[in-house]
């Protein structure tokens, strides 16, 4: 259960897993620490012995369900306790907005007002875990020096005790979480249990008590009558589980908000068929007291407060957050991120339009937008200097969110917007901060005036953090994507040379997975006496290394061809080069020496798929030529050659395996289909035929491999038309 960091372990650590002691070391330390600094909840984490993971050992003050997503936390996670261990320092989160900006994953799930401190439990050489404690949202924005000293000293003492326990092979036993005592013990002690119950039963409004888990521990007769559920069915059950019309995440969220923030919260709910009830929750560290009364008339409520369906609620549910986070991990490009935000977030938060802004070379750039009737309204901001005073540039450069609940408020602060109306009435400008720096701004626009209460601002800011992380990855992917395509374009021929008696066409399609760069290549090289050489090959792998090696092989083949080597010699020389380079990669290759004047071609093959030959009468033949091993495997291979008739009208189809290989498709069937298509369409112009062949490929839509295709048609007239 207990692990160490910095690569240092105690000699007794293995034995520690075998014996345990019963003293509640962690619970006592946590309770004492919380009491010293007047915190209302906290938890102790211990480092796992065999992996870089913090595991929650004890929680106090709140049900563990509140921290369920973080019962196991990787040391690399952007979570305060993990950061405290990594950096060996106290991490202070002053409140709701600070949490949303720095730790959006937590703030989205717990969008409540509370402050948090996380500290490492560590000696000079060894980290054993971490502790966090929380305070209500009313806590001052800074942690006092006294509290810092108390927390630091307490964590240091706990680390020393854990070190001693490990040396003595006495790691801590699992300990129960610390829960509060009976909610009415004080009243019972003062008035007597019977008299306290009598007093509460005489009150004209409903009263009930919830424990920290939301279970009803007491309900007076007025509460049972107002709710319409007997007290016997309420006791021991969670309020929203016992009352069908309260079984809504909105109401459970109010209970969570009250416990986390220790602030009084309320909501209004409709008891069918038409009775409105008001619930007001008064939290403490032992649970909640709930006052239930009849609400004001609905007409009056609409002027001064929310209705049931408009009760303050979490904008995005936990399930939506998990779905969104999973989807964001799959967003590859910037446009993927923009589309995902438009599809998932915009509807969830009730906005009608979206703009994602970024910066480059000191200027604002529109990365994408959705929902604007006139796109020029947005695009006119593209290229705007970051020094211009606009809400978009301000949020991007400062990292501070801005919310405008009406057009008047926006135009009062930014008069320039009067000249560029977009038809919307409220806006949220969310800075997208990743790795501690702004990477862009997400603008959400609303068709009607829209107030932004504090909890909604926190949720939106948290969502901005999730979007920022995806956008940062997407921008890096797009940069790599452009680099890959630039490298691939530089290594492949920009155009095919004009050859006497031969028409040629080529196509290259990158894989649709990974970096979209690979080792497939082709070339057409004119030589003396009207001859020419054609080559196609495939270097193992789909990365920059494979592409770089492909460029070396293509250059070498050109050089060997130019000095007049025969096909088998070109293959042997290229194989030797690959071995001399010491690369772990290998390559397949097909090399042809073309003699259109005499209507023939001499071929050598190194583990490459066989070419197809279409005769002028439409018959197609798979040229299953004799060949040698893949290049880069054998130090002394032989590459036999085969001569093939290439009479006028013949079409040679050279390709890499990406054209015919696809999951679930038999290669023989794929070759047969390709041959049938070639029979039917072989008379078409080569460029048209090339497009048809790659479109027909079974793997063209979801390619796990790149595709190279080279078509050669013999004319036999000795000149090119």
């Amino acid at each position: 259960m207990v692990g160490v960091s910095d690569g240092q372990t105690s000699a007794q650590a293995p034995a520690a897993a075998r014996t345990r002691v019963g003293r509640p070391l962690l619970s006592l330390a946590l309770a004492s620490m919380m009491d010293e600094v007047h915190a209302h909840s906290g938890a102790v984490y211990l480092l796992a012995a065999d992996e870089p993971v913090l595991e929650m050992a004890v929680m106090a003050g709140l049900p563990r369900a509140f921290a369920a997503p973080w019962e196991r936390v990787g040391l690399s996670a952007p979570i305060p306790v993990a950061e405290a261990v990594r950096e060996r320092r106290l991490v202070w989160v002053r409140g709701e907005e600070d949490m949303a900006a720095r730790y959006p994953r937590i703030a989205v799930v717990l969008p409540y007002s509370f402050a948090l401190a996380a500290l490492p439990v560590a000696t000079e050489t060894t980290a054993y875990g971490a502790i966090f404690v929380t305070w209500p949202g009313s806590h001052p924005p800074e942690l006092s020096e006294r509290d810092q000293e108390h927390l630091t000293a307490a964590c240091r003492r706990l680390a020393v005790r854990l070190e001693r326990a490990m040396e003595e092979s006495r790691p801590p036993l699992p300990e129960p979480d610390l829960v509060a005592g009976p909610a009415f013990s004080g009243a019972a002690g003062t008035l007597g249990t019977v008299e306290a119950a009598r007093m509460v039963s005489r009150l004209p409004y409903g009263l009930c008590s919830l424990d920290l888990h939301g279970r009803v521990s007491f309900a007076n007769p007025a509460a049972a009558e107002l709710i319409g559920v007997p007290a016997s069915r309420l006791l021991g059950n969670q309020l929203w589980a016992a009352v069908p019309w309260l079984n809504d995440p909105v109401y459970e969220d109010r209970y969570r908000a009250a416990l986390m923030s220790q602030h009084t919260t309320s909501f209004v709910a409709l008891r069918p068929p038409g009775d409105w009830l008001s619930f007001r929750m008064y939290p403490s560290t032992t649970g909640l007291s709930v006052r239930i009364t009849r609400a004001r008339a609905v007409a009056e409520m609409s002027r001064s407060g929310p209705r049931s369906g408009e009760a303050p609620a979490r904008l995005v549910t936990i399930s939506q957050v998990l779905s969104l986070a999973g989807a964001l991990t799959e967003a590859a490009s910037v446009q993927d991120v923009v589309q995902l935000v438009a599809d998932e977030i915009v509807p969830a938060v009730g906005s009608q339009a979206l703009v994602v802004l970024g910066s480059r070379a000191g200027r604002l750039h529109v990365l994408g937008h959705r929902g604007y009737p006139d796109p020029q309204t947005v695009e006119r901001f593209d290229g705007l200097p970051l020094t211009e005073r606009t809400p978009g540039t301000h949020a991007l450069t400062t990292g501070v969110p801005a919310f405008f609940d009406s057009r008047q408020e926006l135009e009062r602060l930014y008069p320039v917007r009067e000249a560029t109306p977009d038809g919307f009435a409220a806006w949220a400008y969310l800075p997208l901060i990743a790795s501690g720096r702004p990477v862009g701004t997400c603008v959400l626009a609303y068709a009607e005036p829209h107030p932004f209460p504090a909890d909604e601002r926190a949720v939106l800011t948290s969502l901005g953090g999730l979007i920022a992380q995806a956008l940062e990855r997407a921008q890096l992917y797009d940069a790599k994507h452009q680099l890959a395509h630039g490298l691939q374009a530089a290594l492949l021929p920009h155009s095919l040379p004009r050859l006497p008696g031969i028409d040629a066409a080529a196509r290259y399609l990158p894989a649709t997975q990974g970096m979209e760069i690979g080792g497939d290549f082709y070339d057409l090289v004119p030589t003396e006496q009207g001859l020419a050489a054609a080559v196609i090959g495939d270097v193992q792998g789909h990365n920059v290394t494979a592409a770089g090696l492909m460029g070396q092989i293509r250059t070498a083949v050109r050089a060997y061809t130019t000095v007049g080597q025969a096909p088998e010699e070109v293959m042997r020389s290229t194989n030797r080069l690959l071995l001399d380079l010491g690369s772990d990669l290998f390559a397949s290759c097909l090399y042809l020496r073309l003699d259109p004047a005499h209507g023939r071609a001499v071929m050598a093959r190194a583990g490459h798929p066989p070419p197809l030959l279409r005769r002028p009468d439409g018959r197609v033949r798979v040229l299953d030529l004799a060949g040698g091993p893949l290049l880069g495997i054998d130090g002394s291979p032989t590459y036999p050659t085969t001569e093939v008739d290439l009479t006028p009208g013949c079409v040679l189809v050279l390709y890499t395996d990406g054209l015919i290989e696809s999951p679930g498709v038999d290669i023989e069937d794929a070759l047969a289909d390709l041959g049938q298509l070639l029979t039917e369409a072989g008379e078409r112009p080569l460029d048209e035929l090339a497009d048809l062949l790659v479109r027909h490929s079974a793997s063209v839509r979801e390619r796990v491999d790149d595709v190279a295709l080279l078509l050669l048609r013999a004319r036999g007239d000795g000149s090119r038309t």
Side-chain angles (χ1 to χ4, degrees), residues 286-366:
T286 61
L288 298 96
S289 296
V290 184
R291 184 175 184 265
I292 308 169
T293 60
R294 295 190 182 277
R296 291 167 290 174
V298 173
E300 185 179 351
M301 286 167 46
S302 65
R303 293 193 298 269
S304 59
R307 299 186 184 185
S308 176
E310 299 166 351
R314 182 176 303 164
L315 285 178
V316 183
T317 65
I318 293 177
S319 61
Q320 285 177 305
V321 171
L322 295 175
S323 173
L324 174 63
L328 284 172
T329 62
E330 299 176 2
S333 68
V334 169
Q335 290 308 307
D336 289 342
V337 174
V338 173
Q339 189 62 51
L340 181 65
V341 173
D343 292 342
E344 299 280 347
I345 293 181
V346 168
V349 302
S351 67
Q352 284 72 46
L354 161 78
V355 184
V356 179
L357 304 171
S359 66
R360 185 171 63 251
R363 293 185 176 273
L364 193 71
H365 285 276
V366 178

Side-chain angles (χ1 to χ4, degrees), residues 330-610:
E330 299 176 2
S333 68
V334 169
Q335 290 308 307
D336 289 342
V337 174
V338 173
Q339 189 62 51
L340 181 65
V341 173
D343 292 342
E344 299 280 347
I345 293 181
V346 168
V349 302
S351 67
Q352 284 72 46
L354 161 78
V355 184
V356 179
L357 304 171
S359 66
R360 185 171 63 251
R363 293 185 176 273
L364 193 71
H365 285 276
V366 178
L367 301 178
H369 59 85
R370 300 289 188 276
Y372 283 82
D374 182 6
Q376 292 184 354
T377 304
V378 176
E379 292 166 0
R380 70 182 62 183
F381 291 100
D382 195 67
L384 195 70
L386 294 181
T387 53
E388 288 286 332
R389 190 172 181 273
T390 69
T393 55
H394 184 265
L396 194 150
T397 55
T398 64
V400 178
F403 301 91
F404 305 96
D405 57 17
S406 68
R407 172 171 290 280
Q408 291 75 20
E409 183 181 359
L410 178 64
E411 292 177 351
R412 178 174 57 83
L413 295 174
Y414 298 94
V416 69
R417 284 303 300 264
E418 295 182 23
T420 57
D422 56 17
F424 292 96
W427 298 264
Y429 286 81
L430 309 176
L432 305 180
I433 301 172
S435 305
R437 63 180 184 87
V439 297
T441 300
C442 178
V443 185
L444 298 172
Y446 297 77
E448 302 292 337
H450 183 89
F452 295 95
D455 56 349
E456 182 171 341
R457 295 185 181 206
V459 170
L460 292 175
T461 305
S462 304
L463 290 174
L466 295 178
I467 298 167
Q469 294 166 7
L471 183 62
E472 184 182 43
R473 291 193 304 268
Q475 289 176 326
L476 179 60
Y477 173 86
D478 282 352
K480 289 182 177 180
H481 182 80
Q482 293 173 5
L483 172 64
H485 275 260
L487 177 60
Q488 193 83 54
L491 294 175
L492 291 172
H494 295 289
S495 61
L496 297 177
R498 299 170 62 88
L499 298 177
I502 295 288
D503 287 336
R507 294 292 183 271
Y508 174 81
L509 296 178
T512 56
Q513 301 177 14
M515 273 191 66
E516 299 191 7
I517 184 171
D520 287 20
F521 67 96
Y522 61 86
D523 206 352
L524 195 58
V525 185
T527 60
E528 297 178 354
Q529 292 90 35
L531 302 179
V535 63
I536 192 165
D538 183 1
V539 178
Q540 173 198 18
H542 303 92
N543 50 39
V544 174
T545 302
L549 188 60
M550 172 268 279
Q552 290 177 294
I553 292 176
R554 178 175 166 246
T555 301
V557 169
R558 268 188 165 263
Y560 300 142
T561 298
T562 302
V563 299
Q565 287 191 358
E568 64 272 18
E569 294 172 344
V570 170
M571 299 297 271
R572 283 197 297 267
S573 298
T574 306
N575 179 70
R576 188 163 51 249
L577 169 69
L578 204 54
L579 291 170
D580 291 344
L581 289 174
S583 172
D584 293 331
L585 303 180
F586 51 83
S588 68
C589 189
L590 178 64
Y591 182 88
L592 291 74
R593 181 62 54 83
L594 301 169
D595 185 358
H598 295 87
R600 64 179 185 175
V602 179
M603 306 184 187
R605 185 161 72 106
H608 199 79

Side-chain angles (χ1 to χ4, degrees), residues 235-278:
L235 295 177
N237 295 312
Q238 292 176 323
L239 186 61
W240 47 90
V243 183
W245 47 272
L246 287 178
N247 189 15
D248 188 311
V250 165
Y251 307 129
E252 182 182 355
D253 188 68
R254 293 295 86 199
Y255 140 80
R256 288 173 173 267
L259 281 186
M260 286 296 298
S261 67
Q262 291 291 292
H263 289 167
T264 300
T265 64
S266 60
F267 63 88
V268 177
L270 174 65
R271 173 191 166 183
D275 294 328
W276 292 89
L277 299 182
S278 173

Side-chain angles (χ1 to χ4, degrees), residues 612 622 666-679 696:
L612 300 180
V622 178
D666 184 80
I667 291 180
E668 295 296 328
D669 293 340
L671 270 177
D673 290 344
L674 191 64
Q676 181 62 34
L677 182 62
L678 190 59
T679 296
H696 174 76

